[in-house]
Amino acid sequence: MTAFISKHRQELRRILAGLLGPAAVLALWSGLARYYHPMILPSPGETWRALVTLWREGSLLGNVAITLRRTVWGYALALLAGFSLAALTKGTAFWRALLRPILAIVQIIPPVVWTILAVIWFGVASQSAPIFLIFMVTLPLSFANTAASLDSIDGRLVEMAQVYRCSRRQIVTQLYLPALLPQLANTVSVGFSFAWKAAIFAEFMGSTSGVGFLLSTANSNLETEKVFAWVLVLIAVMLVCEYGLLLPLKHRAERWWA
Amino acid sequence: MKQTVLEFHGVYKEFTSAGGRLQVVEDFSLALAPGEIAALVGPSGCGKTTLLNLAAGILRPTRGRVSVGAGVRLGYVFQEPRLLPWKTVEENIRFVQEGLFPGSRGAALRRQILEQVGLTVFRGAYPRELSGGMKQRVELARALAVQPDLLLLDEPFKSLDGEAKGELQQLLKAAHRQAGFAALLVTHDPDEAVLLADRAVVLSPRPARTLQELDLQASRGRSGWEVAAAIRVLLDQAG
Ligand SMILES: Nc1ncnc2c1ncn2[C@@H]1O[C@H](COP(=O)(O)OP(=O)(O)OP(=O)(O)O)[C@@H](O)[C@H]1O
Ligand SMILES: [Mg+2]
């Protein structure tokens, strides 16, 4: 009984400690907001009212959905390409020698260059421009991560399967895949927030829809309280994705393996 | 030409690594007839596992030839267990049977072998839930489950206590009487060689060469411990 209480007390203390940081930020924010013009630092109350206005205007959920869809598309394509390229470089020394430098260069190029190119090539109103940027920015990462997880596969198990004349299909589906899954789940969840930020950036720089575009509109109209409201939305969406979807997925993959 | 399951012909194996070259096998020859069991006995680190890996085709000889008879099916009990961690005991065995006995025949075989090695109650367990000795049993069960023509055994009974060891040695003997596979058995234990093998190949310290071959079948008339003692003397002289 006492153990039960102390366990709950511990849990409670952890939750309170976790809330302490955001609460302090909120207090500091409302304190500072008293001394500044709303155009420079809107108060939490003003931000909340702006959020309600956004909701009433009906542009909130639709634009979040647009940005999310682009994120998922761009990132899914990058994962697929990164994985295929990693599998190729694993197979032959030639492909590795060919691809490694190219991807290293892609990684060095600043995202803004891809945005400029995307707007030139696809146009501002195009759906593909943000997707292109997300793809280019997350490709080197997903390649490097999948290549690392491919390298970590236990070669002695592959030898065993070959001695027993297991088919290639068997080796891929029953050995490679289960060995890769937990790490792939990790890669996906780490890269997703990265892809989300790239999507906002791309929309901010060159697009006519999505959260990033509305952020840039609010910015140029000097509606700082709307900018703050959109930031809250961004945080909320990421938290929901991370804790509602990606973390459970990762735990599931880990449990399945362990 | 005499039919062989496995033949080493003037085999050399050298490893090259950052530290330089390491000669591990030197001019090794051996022919194994169907149903024959040869024991490889040699000091630790001399190259016994390397010889089994050459036989399995995991390694290629630097010089010489290793040939396995056409259509010969292999079973390999690795020195350290190589089980798929995400599969249960039974699934691990089914994994190697899939291309051979997919249906009910494989299931029946599996059930019988699991019973024989005493793992029936553990058939749903994952490798991490098993002791070293139990994993070794799974290795043996898996190797027998493909009904091999050639069994490679790398100290298969090492992590078992006396009683379990004797029990599994008898099981292997019985399986051999029934199925008649050929086998290459690596062991540190001269008594085990005498008990299970037709022939003992005593190896030198690295690089592995054949010091002497002892025909254990001819000597079975004599008492086993006499032969085992002879192997010990050879090993002592070499090491
Ligand atoms: N892939 C490899 N690359 C480099 N060196 C190796 C490799 N495999 C084995 N060796 C070396 O070859 C030698 C013989 O190794 P091997 O495992 O065949 O010996 P062993 O007789 O089986 O030893 P043990 O009795 O300890 O099992 C060792 O010195 C080992 O370090
Ligand atoms: Mg060894």
Side-chain angles (χ1 to χ4, degrees):
Chain A
M1 189 63 198
T2 47
F4 178 81
I5 289 173
S6 87
K7 194 169 169 225
H8 271 252
R9 206 172 273 169
Q10 252 177 4
E11 187 80 359
L12 199 67
R13 205 178 295 163
R14 246 203 4 240
I15 292 172
L16 285 176
L19 289 174
L20 215 60
V25 169
L26 197 68
L28 191 70
W29 176 12
S30 41
L32 285 174
R34 282 171 211 269
Y35 302 100
Y36 291 97
H37 191 271
M39 221 172 75
I40 296 177
L41 186 65
S43 69
E46 284 154 347
T47 305
W48 175 254
R49 277 190 293 280
L51 194 61
V52 172
T53 312
L54 288 180
W55 178 266
R56 292 231 175 95
E57 284 169 2
S59 57
L60 203 155
L61 285 180
N63 280 289
V64 165
I66 287 173
T67 305
L68 263 182
R69 196 165 55 229
R70 286 171 178 161
T71 307
V72 168
W73 266 107
Y75 189 45
L77 289 174
L79 277 176
L80 199 70
F83 188 85
S84 316
L85 292 177
L88 273 179
T89 56
K90 171 98 181 147
T92 64
F94 172 78
W95 280 104
R96 191 172 320 172
L98 191 80
L99 281 170
R100 281 259 155 95
I102 299 178
L103 284 161
I105 291 168
V106 168
Q107 195 165 16
I108 291 166
I109 295 174
V112 69
V113 174
W114 299 119
T115 315
I116 296 167
L117 289 177
V119 172
I120 294 172
W121 291 341
F122 304 106
V124 177
S126 139
Q127 286 290 331
S128 337
I131 293 179
F132 174 75
L133 174 83
I134 298 162
F135 180 84
M136 292 316 278
V137 169
T138 53
L139 176 68
L141 189 79
S142 59
F143 169 78
N145 282 338
T146 41
S149 39
L150 276 172
D151 284 341
S152 72
I153 284 179
D154 189 350
R156 297 172 316 148
L157 292 180
V158 182
E159 278 174 8
M160 178 279 290
Q162 281 163 347
V163 167
Y164 282 106
R165 306 264 185 281
C166 293
S167 68
R168 187 181 287 254
R169 188 183 56 83
Q170 237 188 318
I171 293 177
V172 168
T173 59
Q174 296 183 56
L175 207 163
Y176 275 77
L177 223 54
L180 288 175
L181 219 60
Q183 304 194 49
L184 283 185
N186 194 30
T187 301
V188 168
S189 82
V190 169
F192 188 76
S193 65
F194 196 58
W196 171 249
K197 283 178 248 177
I200 306 296
F201 180 75
E203 290 171 348
F204 187 89
M205 299 296 291
S207 181
T208 52
S209 58
V211 178
F213 166 69
L214 291 172
L215 205 54
S216 97
T217 315
N219 182 43
S220 37
N221 294 346
L222 300 178
E223 297 169 311
T224 313
E225 71 287 353
K226 273 198 180 167
V227 172
F228 272 67
W230 279 116
V231 171
L232 289 187
V233 171
L234 293 184
I235 293 171
V237 170
M238 227 39 245
L239 285 178
V240 167
C241 284
E242 188 66 31
Y243 289 96
L245 193 69
L246 294 168
L247 267 183
L249 200 76
K250 201 174 113 190
H251 286 321
R252 209 193 167 115
E254 268 158 14
R255 246 205 324 277
W256 185 61
W257 187 87
Chain B
M1 206 183 92
K2 208 184 94 184
Q3 195 200 355
T4 57
V5 181
L6 170 70
E7 191 175 355
F8 285 79
H9 192 84
V11 169
Y12 289 74
K13 180 66 195 179
E14 191 180 86
F15 288 113
T16 31
S17 57
R21 294 166 171 211
L22 191 69
Q23 191 74 40
V24 176
V25 177
E26 196 172 88
D27 194 21
F28 183 82
S29 296
L30 176 79
L32 207 59
E36 193 184 11
I37 299 184
L40 296 176
V41 195
S44 148
C46 75
K48 302 180 295 294
T49 299
T50 304
L51 285 171
L52 290 194
N53 284 341
L54 284 163
I58 293 173
L59 295 172
R60 307 224 163 280
T62 315
R63 196 137 61 87
R65 187 167 46 83
V66 178
S67 51
V68 173
V72 164
R73 200 182 294 151
L74 281 180
Y76 193 161
V77 174
F78 295 92
Q79 185 165 11
E80 77 301 333
R82 298 191 186 185
L83 303 171
L84 302 177
W86 46 84
K87 283 185 183 288
T88 63
V89 167
E90 185 166 13
E91 288 165 351
N92 261 287
I93 298 173
R94 194 170 61 203
F95 179 68
V96 300
Q97 288 184 312
E98 220 171 271
L100 298 166
F101 323 113
S104 57
R105 169 137 180 253
L109 199 60
R110 244 179 351 258
R111 207 171 315 122
Q112 184 199 339
I113 291 169
L114 281 172
E115 182 68 47
Q116 284 172 340
V117 298
L119 281 175
T120 302
V121 284
F122 291 103
R123 66 181 183 278
Y126 287 90
R128 72 191 135 82
E129 300 166 329
L130 303 177
S131 70
M134 264 149 46
K135 282 184 229 175
Q136 210 65 27
R137 284 169 195 248
V138 182
E139 281 273 325
L140 182 63
R142 179 173 67 184
L144 290 173
V146 298
Q147 302 203 315
D149 303 302
L150 171 60
L151 197 52
L152 304 171
L153 302 154
D154 202 343
E155 299 183 50
F157 309 119
K158 63 168 180 309
S159 33
L160 297 163
D161 58 43
E163 198 182 328
K165 185 169 170 170
E167 195 184 300
L168 281 198
Q169 284 170 337
Q170 290 309 323
L171 165 70
L172 186 67
K173 251 182 115 99
H176 179 254
R177 262 199 304 277
Q178 195 186 21
F181 46 77
L184 207 51
L185 167 73
V186 167
T187 176
H188 274 125
D189 177 5
D191 296 314
E192 188 169 287
V194 172
L195 177 70
L196 294 170
D198 305 308
R199 209 155 27 121
V201 178
V202 183
L203 300 168
S204 68
R206 196 188 73 221
R209 280 176 294 108
T210 304
L211 282 182
Q212 191 162 355
E213 271 198 47
L214 294 161
D215 186 344
L216 300 174
Q217 224 154 32
S219 62
R220 276 226 174 105
R222 290 195 284 151
S223 56
W225 65 265
E226 239 175 293
V227 184
I231 296 175
R232 279 200 179 92
V233 169
L234 275 169
L235 282 174
D236 283 347
Q237 283 169 353

